[in-house]
Amino acid sequence: EVQLVESGGGLIQPGGSLRLSCAASGFSVSNNYMSWVRQAPGKGLEWVSGIYTGGNTFYADSVKGRFTISRDNSKNTLYLQMNSLRAEDTAVYFCARVNDDFDFWGQGTLVTVSS
Amino acid sequence: QAVVTQEPSLTVSPGGTVTLTCGSSTGAVTSGHYPYWFQQKPGQAPRTLIYDTSIKHSWTPARFSGSLLGDKAALTLSGAQPEDEAEYYCLLSYGIGRPGVFGGGTKLTVL
C-alpha cells in the first residue's frame, strides 16, 4: 500500500530552521517525481519544490535560496530543509508523489513561524 | 509568474450540473498545461480527481469530467451529491523544471 507520512513540523521563531521529512512506503522515492506543496491557514495551495528522478530540483520563487529539497534513498524519505523562515512560511506542508498524475498525498505537517 | 484563475464560489443543487473553470493569465489553457483538478475537504489533504486535462483516477466518481472549454480548462460535475461539497483547485504546468501554479480554488456548495 502506498503511504506518505510527513513529520518535523512545529513552532519556530522567524529566522530559524526546520527540516521536514516525508517517509514513503509501498514505492521508492528515488524512482518517482516528488514534491512539496503548502497551504497557509485558510488559503489555497502553493507548489513549493520538486525533485525529479534524476535528482534535478526546482523551487518556487518565494522559497528559492532558503529551502532545499532532497531525498535519502536508503531511508526512502523525502526532505525539505527550510532556513531563514518567515511568518509567511506558516502553512501545512504536504508531500506528494507527482509523476504524471499526482496520485498520492500525505496528510501534511503544520509549520508555524512566530515569535 | 502566471496567475491561474478560478471562480471563488459556486452553488449547485443536488442532482444538478455545474462547471468549474480554470484560466491562465498567459493566454488560452491548452493540453500542454496538463490541467489537474483536486478536491479538498476541510481538514483533509487534497485528492486528485483529474490529470492531463481529462484523465480520471480509479477513485474519481464517474460524475466528474475534465475538458477544455474555450480558452480554459473545465471540471464538470453532473448529478451533484452532498458529499461533493468541497474546495476544488486546478493546477497548470508551465514547463519542465518549474513549479506548477495552482488556482485560488472554488468553494462548491451543494444546496
Side-chain angles (χ1 to χ4, degrees):
Chain A
E1 180 193 5
V2 171
Q3 198 169 11
L4 294 168
V5 179
E6 301 95 334
S7 61
L11 175 63
I12 187 77
Q13 290 189 339
S17 297
L18 212 54
R19 189 179 79 159
L20 305 183
S21 300
C22 171
S25 55
F27 73 100
S28 170
V29 295
S30 63
N31 292 336
N32 288 266
Y33 169 21
M34 303 292 296
S35 278
W36 289 95
V37 175
R38 70 183 179 184
Q39 186 170 37
K43 302 297 184 182
L45 300 170
E46 180 187 16
W47 196 337
V48 172
S49 180
I51 183 167
Y52 292 101
T53 55
N56 288 343
T57 60
F58 62 83
Y59 302 91
D61 288 343
S62 57
V63 306
K64 203 172 292 183
R66 300 187 299 122
F67 289 13
T68 302
I69 190 172
S70 64
R71 64 191 181 210
D72 184 328
N73 297 340
S74 66
K75 295 182 179 179
N76 207 26
T77 299
L78 180 73
Y79 299 103
L80 187 67
Q81 177 68 42
M82 305 186 295
N83 299 331
S84 303
L85 282 161
R86 307 166 179 167
E88 54 265 35
D89 296 318
T90 294
V92 174
Y93 286 74
F94 299 98
C95 66
R97 186 172 81 170
V98 180
N99 296 331
D100 293 331
D101 56 4
F102 244 117
D103 58 352
F104 286 101
W105 294 69
Q107 285 303 303
T109 186
L110 175 63
V111 173
T112 303
V113 184
S114 174
S115 55
Chain B
Q1 175 173 292
V3 176
V4 176
T5 54
Q6 298 182 244
E7 298 86 0
S9 64
L10 290 170
T11 300
V12 61
S13 300
T17 296
V18 63
T19 297
L20 290 65
T21 67
C22 177
S24 172
S25 63
T26 62
V29 175
T30 71
S31 58
H33 290 98
Y34 302 98
Y36 295 82
W37 289 95
F38 305 87
Q39 179 192 65
Q40 188 180 34
K41 296 182 178 180
Q44 296 183 15
R47 181 175 74 147
T48 310
L49 295 177
I50 301 285
Y51 62 98
D52 200 3
T53 306
S54 59
I55 302 175
K56 301 179 188 182
H57 278 292
S58 58
W59 54 78
T60 304
R63 59 185 180 272
F64 289 95
S65 62
S67 65
L68 295 177
L69 202 60
D71 61 355
K72 296 182 178 182
L75 177 71
T76 300
L77 170 58
S78 302
Q81 300 297 310
E83 60 265 31
D84 298 328
E85 190 163 290
E87 193 85 25
Y88 291 82
Y89 294 93
C90 69
L91 170 68
L92 300 179
S93 175
Y94 290 90
I96 295 173
R98 299 168 64 182
V101 181
F102 286 94
T106 296
K107 181 175 176 58
L108 182 66
T109 301
V110 180
L111 191 61

